[in-house]
Amino acid sequence: MIDSESPGLGLDLPAQPLEKSAAASPYRVLARKYRPQSFSELIGQEAMVQTLANAIASGRIAHAFLLTGVRGVGKTSTARLVAKALNCIGPDGQGGPTIDPCGQCEPCRAIAEGRHIDVTEMDAASHTGVDDVREIIDAVRYAAVSARFKIYIIDEVHMLSKNAFNALLKTLEEPPAHVKFLFATTEVNKVPVTVLSRCQRFDLKRIPAERLQAHFARIAELEHVEVEAEALAVVARAAEGSARDGLSILDQAIAHGEGQVTAAQVRDMLGLADRGRVRQLLATLLSGDATAALAQLDEAHALGLDPAALMRGLMETVHAVTRVKAGASADVLSSAEERAAAEELAGKLGWASLHRLWQLLLKGLADVGQAPDPHEAAGMALLRVIHAAELPDPATVLAQLQNGATIAAAAPAVSPARSTAATVASAAPPPPPSFVDLVEQLERSGQALLGLKLRDQVGLARYAPPELALKPLKPLGPDFPRELAAALKSLTGATWTINLSDGEAEPSLKQQEDMAEERARAAVLAEPSVAAALAAFPNATLESVSRPGA
C-alpha cells in the first residue's frame, strides 16, 4: 500500500516537494491514495498474475493484452503495472522484465508518476475517432526513446469507432517488436472479434467480499480510523466486487462517522435505513389493505423516493425472505431487525406465495420503467399484488373443474392474514378410468401437444394409474417422460411413473381410429344397396362414413 507520508508514489499526482506541509497538500481520496503499486498489492487476481509471471519468465510476452471486468477491479492499474514490469531495469540498471518491478529505477518511477515518454495512456471515451488511432499507427514505427518497450494503454477501448478499430487492425496484428498494446474495457462484448482474436485476454474477477473486507480493514488501520468489523462487511458487500467502489464508500463513511464508523451509520448513509418503510409497505400489501398501501406510496413519493427504487426494495425484501426460507445465510447488508422480520415472513409465506409475489413485483417494476407516470404505474402494480391474493391458484381451479365444482375463491397465495380462508373441501380427483379418457382430459386441460403425442406416437403397454407404460412409435424427445409425468400430476394430483419400452403394446390411438374407420368403410361397401349404387354409377366413390348422431 502507499503510505500517506510518501507523496509522489501514486499514478495520479506528480511528486510534491518534501518541504511542503501536510496541511497544504491536496486531499487524495482513498481510491487514488491506495492504488496498487505492485502485483502483490493487486488483490483477487492471482490467476492473471501467475499467467503474466510465467509469460515474463519464459519470454513469451504477447504483443497485445485485453483486460476486461467490472468497474473498479483493477484493469487500468494492472495495465500500468504491466508497463512497469516490462520496462523495469532494476536498482542497478541491469535488470530485465520482471513480475516484481523494483519501483526505484527511473522507468518505474516515471511510469508511476505518469510522465514516461514511452508509455502513452489514451482514454478511448474522449478519443474515439480514426485520427486518434492514426497518430498511434504513425508513432509505432519509431523506436522507444529510453524504455525497453513503447507501450500504449487504451482505456475503455470499446468506445473506439468502427473505423478506428479497422485502422488499428493491421498494426495490432503485426506491431514492431518494441511495441506493446494494453487495452482495458468494461464491455468486452462491444469489442470487435477481429480485435479480440489479436489480443491475449484476461478476465479480471470480482473481488470476493471477504478479501475486500480485509483490504479495507488494513486501510482503516493506516488511516487511524476505528471501523466496526460489521461496518467493513457492509461496505464490502455494497462494493459488489469493486475495490474502487468500496474505497469510495469507505471514504464517505469515514467522513460521515467523523473518525468512528459503525454498521448502523453505514446502512443509514447508503439509504438502507429506508428499508423499514419498504417492510411496512410489504406488510400492508400482505394484509390486503389497498387504501393504506396507496397512502404509504403517496407518502414515499412526497418524500422523493423513486417508484422504481421502491419496487426494487420490495423485491429485495421478498428475495431476503426467500433466502431465509431456503436456509441460506442472511445478507450482511440487512440489520438484525430486517433479519428477524424476514424469518417471521418466511414462516408465514409458502413457496407458491413467494414466487407469485416475485413475479408480480417484477412485472410492476417493468411497468414503472415504461409508464409515462411511474408513480401511477407503481400504484397500479401494488393494487395488482393485493387483488391477486384473492385469486385461486391454477391447481385449485383445475381440481374444481374436474370435480364439476363451482370455482370459489381459494386461500390467497400472498396474504398470510387470510391463510385460513376458504379452501377446497373436495378430495383429490380420481384417475381417468381408461387411457383414452386420460388423453382426452389432458387435451381439455390445455396440453394439446402432449395429447397429440399420446394419440399418434405411442402404443399403450400398460395402464395402471398412477403407472403408465408406453411403447414409442416415433421419436419423443428426452424430456417426454418428465413433461408427461408433470402434466399428469397437475391433472390428477398423483405422482405418476412413466415407463418407455420396446415390448408388446397396442397400436396407437390414431392407428386404432384409422383401423375402425376402414372397418366401417368395408361394412358400408358390403351393403347390397351401396354395391348396387356403385355398380350403376361406376365413377362414384365413398367419400366418408358418418355414424347416426354424429
Side-chain angles (χ1 to χ4, degrees), residues 358-417:
W358 178 265
Q359 293 298 328
L360 289 169
L361 292 173
L362 184 63
K363 177 64 168 60
L365 179 62
D367 291 347
V368 168
Q370 297 173 358
D373 189 330
H375 178 63
E376 291 179 355
M380 296 301 293
L382 298 184
L383 291 176
R384 186 162 58 238
V385 170
I386 292 174
H387 292 294
E390 301 173 0
L391 298 176
D393 60 88
T396 301
V397 173
L398 184 60
Q400 291 178 342
L401 287 174
Q402 290 171 343
N403 289 318
T406 301
I407 300 176
V414 174
S415 174

Side-chain angles (χ1 to χ4, degrees), residues 147-463:
R148 185 179 295 111
F149 294 104
K150 180 179 285 190
I151 295 177
Y152 293 93
I153 301 174
I154 303 181
D155 200 8
E156 300 300 338
V157 70
H158 66 273
M159 299 292 289
L160 288 178
S161 66
K162 181 179 180 180
N163 290 337
F165 274 125
N166 291 336
L168 187 61
L169 284 180
K170 188 61 178 178
T171 302
L172 186 61
E173 185 172 23
E174 298 178 359
H178 61 273
V179 174
K180 303 293 181 185
F181 289 97
L182 299 171
F183 302 139
T185 179
T186 54
E187 300 184 52
V188 69
N189 58 301
K190 294 184 179 180
V191 179
V193 292
T194 50
V195 173
L196 293 177
S197 65
R198 290 166 167 84
C199 300
Q200 192 171 98
R201 173 174 168 176
F202 290 99
D203 290 79
L204 277 66
K205 302 177 182 177
R206 290 180 184 268
I207 306 172
E210 297 78 10
R211 299 286 302 276
L212 285 177
Q213 183 176 350
H215 180 56
F216 299 155
R218 289 193 295 270
I219 291 178
E221 184 179 353
L222 290 172
E223 292 290 312
H224 308 293
V225 177
E226 295 182 13
V227 184
E228 290 182 355
E230 186 178 358
L232 290 172
V234 173
V235 172
R237 172 67 177 79
E240 298 181 344
S242 168
R244 184 175 63 229
D245 287 8
L247 286 174
S248 298
I249 296 172
L250 181 61
D251 220 340
Q252 183 180 356
I254 293 173
H256 183 79
E258 297 182 354
Q260 186 173 6
V261 182
T262 65
Q265 289 173 339
V266 175
R267 290 193 182 98
D268 181 66
M269 180 193 73
L270 295 176
L272 302 179
D274 287 340
R275 288 185 174 179
R277 183 181 301 277
V278 173
R279 291 198 310 275
Q280 182 183 4
L281 177 58
L282 180 60
T284 303
L285 294 176
L286 296 178
S287 69
D289 192 340
T291 303
L294 292 179
Q296 292 175 19
L297 176 63
D298 292 339
E299 182 182 356
H301 183 67
L303 292 174
L305 187 61
D306 180 51
L310 184 65
M311 298 299 295
R312 285 193 295 268
L314 289 170
M315 293 181 67
E316 290 172 1
T317 304
V318 172
H319 180 257
V321 174
T322 307
R323 285 180 58 89
V324 171
K325 193 171 185 67
S329 58
D331 194 330
V332 295
L333 292 178
S334 303
S335 62
E337 181 183 0
E338 290 175 312
R339 296 170 192 172
E343 291 175 359
E344 181 182 357
L345 285 177
K348 292 180 178 180
L349 296 175
W351 287 110
S353 306
L354 290 170
H355 294 325
R356 177 182 289 191
L357 257 177
W358 178 265
Q359 293 298 328
L360 289 169
L361 292 173
L362 184 63
K363 177 64 168 60
L365 179 62
D367 291 347
V368 168
Q370 297 173 358
D373 189 330
H375 178 63
E376 291 179 355
M380 296 301 293
L382 298 184
L383 291 176
R384 186 162 58 238
V385 170
I386 292 174
H387 292 294
E390 301 173 0
L391 298 176
D393 60 88
T396 301
V397 173
L398 184 60
Q400 291 178 342
L401 287 174
Q402 290 171 343
N403 289 318
T406 301
I407 300 176
V414 174
S415 174
R418 303 178 186 176
S419 59
T420 58
T423 57
V424 179
S426 59
S434 68
F435 179 63
V436 175
D437 294 325
L438 178 74
V439 175
E440 291 176 350
Q441 290 191 21
L442 197 63
E443 290 172 333
R444 287 197 298 268
S445 70
Q447 296 286 349
L449 182 58
L450 279 176
L452 182 64
K453 288 184 177 181
L454 291 178
R455 284 189 179 278
D456 295 0
Q457 302 180 21
V458 300
L460 177 64
R462 173 179 168 80
Y463 182 70

